[in-house]
Amino acid sequence: MTDIVTDTRALLRLFRQSGYADIHLRSGDYELFVARPGGGANPLHAQVVAEAAAAPSAAAPMETEKVEQLVSAPHIASFVSALSVGSTVVAGDAVARIELLGEPIDLCADQPALVTEVLAEPGALVEYGAPLVRLLAA
C-alpha cells in the first residue's frame, strides 16, 4: 500500500517542475486541487448541488410521487448549520453550510423542496459523502 503523503509530495514536486497552471486529481475518496496564480478555479469550492436519491417507484402512474433528496458533505469538513426542519427552499437556495479550512461552503438544493430532517450537529466533523440534510421535493 502506498503512502498518500509521499505520493502527494511527489505529485507536487512534479507539478512545480511542469508548465501546468492547475491540476485536479480525484482517485476514490481522495481529491486534490493545486493551482498557480492565474490557474483554474478551485472545483472543491464550487457551489455544491444536492444529489437526488429517488425512492423506488411502486406508486400508481396517476399519483405524483415525492422524491427524497440527501444533501451530502462534498469534503471532510466541519458542519456549521442547516435550515430548520419545515423550511421550504427553491432550486439554488442554500440548505446547509460547512466549513473547510476556514472557508464557508454553502450546500444548495437542486429543486424546490421541504427540509424534513437535519442529520448532523453544528460543529461536528463530517466525512466525505456523509448525509447532512434530508429534503422532500415539493
Side-chain angles (χ1 to χ4, degrees):
M1 180 173 199
T2 62
D3 178 18
I4 193 80
V5 174
T6 303
D7 290 347
T8 301
R9 285 182 178 153
L11 180 64
L12 289 172
R13 199 169 27 260
L14 290 171
F15 176 74
R16 279 195 311 244
Q17 295 169 358
S18 77
Y20 294 126
D22 58 66
I23 185 171
H24 184 196
L25 171 75
R26 185 181 304 156
S27 176
D29 291 340
Y30 181 73
E31 191 166 11
L32 173 73
F33 176 78
V34 181
R36 289 188 164 91
N42 188 339
L44 302 178
H45 287 249
Q47 184 181 41
V48 180
V49 178
E51 297 174 3
S57 180
M62 298 301 282
E63 292 181 25
T64 57
E65 186 174 326
K66 297 287 186 176
V67 177
E68 179 183 273
Q69 298 175 319
L70 287 176
V71 177
S72 301
H75 323 283
I76 295 176
S78 296
F79 181 73
V80 176
S81 63
L83 294 178
S84 59
V85 172
S87 298
T88 57
V89 296
V90 297
D93 280 356
V95 296
R97 176 172 279 180
I98 59 173
E99 189 174 272
L100 177 66
L101 300 173
E103 296 280 332
I105 300 171
D106 288 332
L107 307 178
C108 302
D110 65 350
Q111 63 183 346
L114 173 73
V115 177
T116 59
E117 187 177 8
V118 177
L119 303 164
E121 294 293 323
L125 179 64
V126 293
E127 294 289 330
Y128 168 79
L132 305 175
V133 178
R134 188 179 312 275
L135 304 174
L136 187 61

